[in-house]
Amino acid sequence: LFRSLLQVRFEQHLKLEINLPKSLMETKIPPLALQMLVENAVKHNQISKDNALMVYISAIDNTHIHVTNTKTKAINPAQSFKVGLDNIKQRYQLFTDEKVTVRNDEKFSVLLPVIKSIKPIAALE
């Protein structure tokens, strides 16, 4: 549904491509992590006929989900407090010791560890 709403809003100027193997469809990541990353890409980039945005979601060795987006020039850049990224990182800390990796280079990229086993409850205290 979320993907459909974005396609209606931005038409062909937003390209969202998801290429995940079936083996990852049964694994876990914190709720809304992918949606928040796509929303961040839309928030921080101007999307128009002249500034198309590409968001690509793929897997790396079935151990990480890789979310990458191109960067466009924004006329009025949205101020970032990194609340969304911090929220995702905090959610991951509840489930695993593996870290979320963020790179902001030519493209914006986030590596989300695939959660194979959840931390013991005692570790959550």
Side-chain angles (χ1 to χ4, degrees):
L1 178 64
F2 176 69
R3 182 179 187 172
S4 299
L5 291 174
L6 288 174
Q7 292 302 154
V8 168
R9 180 176 175 195
F10 297 109
E11 299 172 346
Q12 71 274 14
H13 310 306
L14 173 65
K15 294 175 179 40
L16 177 59
E17 188 172 327
I18 302 171
N19 185 11
L20 294 172
K22 286 186 180 185
S23 60
L24 285 185
M25 297 302 176
E26 300 299 320
T27 60
K28 302 196 182 317
I29 62 170
L32 301 176
L34 292 177
Q35 180 176 335
M36 289 170 49
L37 290 172
V38 174
E39 286 175 350
N40 275 351
V42 169
K43 174 183 175 185
H44 292 289
N45 291 281
Q46 180 186 33
I47 303 171
S48 66
K49 180 179 173 182
D50 297 325
N51 292 299
L53 179 67
M54 172 66 178
V55 180
Y56 186 65
I57 301 172
S58 61
I60 298 179
D61 297 330
N62 289 331
T63 61
H64 288 81
I65 295 175
H66 189 209
V67 182
T68 303
N69 65 268
T70 56
K71 298 192 308 190
T72 67
K73 293 182 181 181
I75 294 173
N76 296 318
Q79 186 173 4
S80 176
F81 298 104
K82 299 191 185 327
V83 172
L85 287 172
D86 287 343
N87 188 313
I88 292 170
K89 289 176 182 179
Q90 289 171 6
R91 288 177 188 204
Y92 262 90
Q93 288 177 351
L94 295 173
F95 298 105
T96 182
D97 291 326
E98 292 189 57
K99 302 294 182 202
V100 172
T101 305
V102 178
R103 294 189 67 190
N104 190 2
D105 297 321
E106 185 178 319
K107 295 180 180 179
F108 189 81
S109 176
V110 178
L111 279 176
L112 301 173
V114 172
I115 300 171
K116 294 182 179 79
S117 61
I118 296 177
K119 282 194 221 180
I121 293 175
L124 297 176
E125 297 173 355

